[in-house]
């Protein structure tokens, strides 16, 4: 972490300045540190604005610098990178956006500037069709373009299945969070988040202590939209955050794609509207998107389709996991209580094993909490 990152945090924490003014000031001066060190006299086309900014600096610098010290201490302790908008590791696609965050906090091990970046969004009330699309899309994408980063929001529904599909396929995946890195929301996805830190990462613009308030989810959507090459919508109602993300992606000149559903499916009405208005390209598989994006040649495509669809990302199954898989083979599915009776394991242990197998892309959870092998 650099001095510049420290002062960028402080600049973002100045009360009364606002995020857009902070970014404008940073870009005008060229250095957050110079703003606080008094090395630049604020003069220009908007003297009234600069006068107000100078007053904010005079009155709020001490508190902002103290907040930055606390943030930096937490980040150092927990292995979190601070990426100011001028740093090399900052997502360069996002940097081009006029409302890019001044500072990002990142915990992970993947390159945020991967050769290809795809954001996958959709409804929290996804169907089995949507879940299967997430897994087949990421599995095919791993074969066609293994140098792709998959981005989503760790939320219930399409988001979490996009992340788990990517993990299962061996693709790095990053979650854009609507809160600080001192928590995981929703808490139910903490195990997936831990895996993502090892095979991707967690990214946010929000400092520690920030609650996952409703407005923060709208703000975080622009990050998912801005840092990608393409935004893919998998099941979306006529309203919702996924459509906001898709519209933001279009405003940033990113390509938008949507999977169609049945004409009567409420959870696909947003996708159908995007396709009908020609604001999203219709796709039925990852190959459609890859070809439209011109990411691979015909020869590369033919070679990729010959590869196995499930790379060996995860280690060999444990004895207990293998026992559950054995029980599921040749049957239409089991509920947790049935698995408890057949294995003799505690219910908490069986629930944990089922979650691990679902994350690894080996099983899926059907309505009624019935678990079945993915064919």
């Amino acid at each position: 972490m650099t001095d510049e990152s420290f002062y960028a945090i402080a600049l973002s924490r100045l009360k009364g300045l606002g995020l857009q003014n902070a970014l404008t000031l940073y870009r005008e001066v060229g250095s957050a540190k110079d703003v606080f060190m008094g090395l630049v006299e604020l003069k220009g086309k908007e003297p009234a604005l600069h006068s107000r900014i100078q007053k904010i600096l005079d009155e709020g610098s001490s508190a902002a610098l103290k907040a930055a010290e606390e943030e930096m201490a937490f980040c150092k302790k927990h292995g979190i990178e601070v990426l100011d908008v001028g740093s090399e590791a900052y997502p360069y696609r996002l940097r081009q956006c006029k409302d890019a965050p001044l500072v990002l906090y990142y915990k992970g091990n993947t390159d945020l500037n991967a050769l290809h970046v795809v954001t996958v969004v959709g409804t929290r009330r996804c169907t089995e069709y949507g879940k299967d699309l997430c897994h087949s899309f990421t599995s095919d994408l791993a074969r066609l373009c293994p140098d792709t980063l998959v981005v989503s929001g760790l939320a219930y529904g399409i988001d979490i299945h996009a992340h788990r599909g990517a993990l299962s396929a061996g693709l790095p995946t990053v979650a854009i969070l609507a809160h600080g890195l001192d928590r995981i929301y929703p808490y139910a996805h903490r195990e997936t988040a831990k895996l993502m830190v090892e095979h991707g990462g967690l990214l946010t613009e929000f400092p520690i202590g920030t609650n996952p308030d409703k407005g923060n989810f709208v703000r975080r959507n622009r990050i998912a939209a801005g840092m990608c090459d393409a935004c893919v919508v998998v099941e979306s109602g006529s309203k919702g955050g996924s459509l906001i993300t898709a519209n933001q992606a279009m405003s940033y000149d990113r390509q938008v794609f949507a999977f169609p559903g049945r004409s009567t499916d409420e959870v696909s009405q947003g996708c159908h509207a995007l396709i009908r208005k020609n604001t999203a390209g219709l796709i039925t598989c990852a190959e459609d998107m890859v070809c439209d994006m011109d990411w691979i040649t015909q020869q590369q495509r033919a070679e990729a389709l010959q590869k196995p669809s499930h790379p060996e990302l995860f280690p060999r199954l444990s004895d207990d996991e293998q026992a559950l898989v054995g029980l599921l083979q040749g049957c239409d599915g089991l509920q947790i209580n049935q698995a408890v009776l057949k294995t003799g394991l505690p219910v908490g242990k069986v629930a944990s094993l089922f979650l691990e197998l679902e994350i690894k892309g080996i099983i899926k959870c059907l309505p009624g909490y019935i678990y079945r092998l993915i064919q």
Side-chain angles (χ1 to χ4, degrees):
M1 299 182 191
T2 65
D3 282 351
E4 185 61 23
S5 294
F6 168 77
Y7 284 104
I9 294 175
L11 187 58
S12 71
R13 302 294 293 273
L14 272 172
K15 290 186 178 181
L17 183 59
L19 296 175
Q20 193 58 55
N21 283 337
L23 180 62
T24 300
L25 181 59
Y26 177 91
R27 286 175 167 167
E28 181 178 318
V29 174
S31 166
K33 183 177 181 179
D34 286 354
V35 172
F36 281 92
M37 299 301 289
L39 300 180
V40 177
E41 187 176 357
L42 298 177
K43 291 182 179 180
K45 298 179 181 178
E46 301 180 72
L49 174 62
H50 286 165
S51 177
R52 184 169 70 85
I53 290 174
Q54 189 62 62
K55 182 179 179 181
I56 290 171
L57 282 166
D58 293 341
E59 296 178 351
S61 290
S62 295
L65 291 169
K66 183 179 179 180
E69 288 177 0
E70 294 174 354
E71 194 77 36
M72 289 290 277
F74 180 88
C75 291
K76 289 178 180 178
K77 181 178 179 180
H78 295 279
I80 297 169
E81 292 184 69
V82 179
L83 309 176
D84 65 81
V85 73
S87 66
E88 184 176 349
Y90 190 98
Y92 74 84
R93 298 168 177 86
L94 181 60
R95 184 188 294 126
Q96 299 167 358
C97 302
K98 64 180 181 180
D99 55 353
L102 179 60
V103 176
L104 292 171
Y105 304 98
Y106 175 55
K107 187 175 180 67
N109 66 355
T110 197
D111 183 7
L112 300 175
N113 291 306
L115 183 61
H116 305 304
V117 181
V118 175
T119 289
V120 180
V121 295
T123 180
R124 285 172 167 79
R125 301 180 296 106
C126 67
T127 66
E128 290 303 311
Y129 168 72
K131 295 177 186 178
D132 290 343
L133 279 179
C134 288
H135 285 274
S136 62
F137 176 78
T138 50
S139 177
D140 291 343
L141 189 60
R143 286 187 292 161
L144 293 163
C145 290
D147 48 10
T148 299
L149 169 64
V150 176
V151 174
S152 198
L154 202 69
Y156 289 106
I158 292 301
D159 283 18
I160 193 62
H161 288 285
H163 291 309
R164 290 174 178 172
L167 289 169
S168 177
L171 290 175
T173 181
V174 167
I176 313 301
L177 307 180
H179 50 80
L181 286 174
D182 53 340
R183 69 182 71 195
I184 294 296
Y185 179 85
Y187 186 69
H189 296 162
R190 64 193 181 280
E191 295 301 324
T192 302
K194 290 179 183 177
L195 280 174
M196 291 172 64
V197 171
E198 300 172 5
H199 303 285
L202 308 174
L203 185 69
T204 183
E205 68 174 310
F206 297 103
I208 56 173
T210 304
N211 294 322
D213 297 326
K214 184 177 180 179
N216 293 351
F217 289 92
V218 177
R219 274 180 55 185
R220 70 92 185 264
N221 288 345
R222 81 188 194 288
I223 300 175
M227 68 180 288
C228 71
D229 300 299
C231 177
V232 175
V233 186
V234 182
E235 290 195 320
S236 172
S238 57
K239 297 179 181 179
S242 54
L243 294 185
I244 293 174
T245 305
N247 286 323
Q248 286 177 321
M250 284 184 281
S251 74
Y252 297 146
D253 293 325
R254 309 298 190 253
Q255 294 296 311
V256 177
F257 299 93
F259 280 96
R262 292 177 299 187
S263 61
T264 55
D265 288 344
E266 289 187 12
V267 293
S268 290
Q269 294 308 304
C271 294
H272 296 159
L274 290 171
I275 295 168
R276 186 171 62 251
K277 295 175 183 176
N278 292 320
T279 52
L282 186 156
I283 59 172
T284 60
C285 59
E287 185 181 350
D288 291 344
M289 184 202 72
V290 169
C291 290
D292 283 356
M293 294 296 293
D294 199 24
W295 281 352
I296 59 174
T297 65
Q298 289 298 320
Q299 181 177 349
Q300 289 172 323
R301 170 182 169 277
E303 292 173 352
L305 293 176
Q306 299 301 314
K307 297 178 182 178
S309 59
H310 295 289
E312 293 289 333
L313 170 64
F314 294 97
R316 190 172 301 172
L317 298 181
S318 68
D319 292 342
D320 288 339
E321 288 174 330
Q322 190 61 60
L324 282 179
V325 170
L327 287 175
L328 291 170
Q329 288 176 335
C331 74
D332 288 333
L334 289 175
Q335 290 183 323
I336 288 182
N337 58 349
Q338 293 174 311
V340 169
L341 290 173
K342 290 178 180 291
T343 62
L345 296 171
V347 63
K349 177 68 172 177
V350 173
S352 177
L353 290 170
F354 273 142
L355 177 59
E356 286 295 318
L357 290 170
E358 187 178 4
I359 290 172
K360 294 177 181 179
I362 296 172
I363 66 172
K364 62 181 178 180
C365 182
L366 303 175
Y369 293 97
I370 296 173
Y371 291 88
R372 180 181 296 170
L373 287 176
I374 294 177
Q375 302 298 324

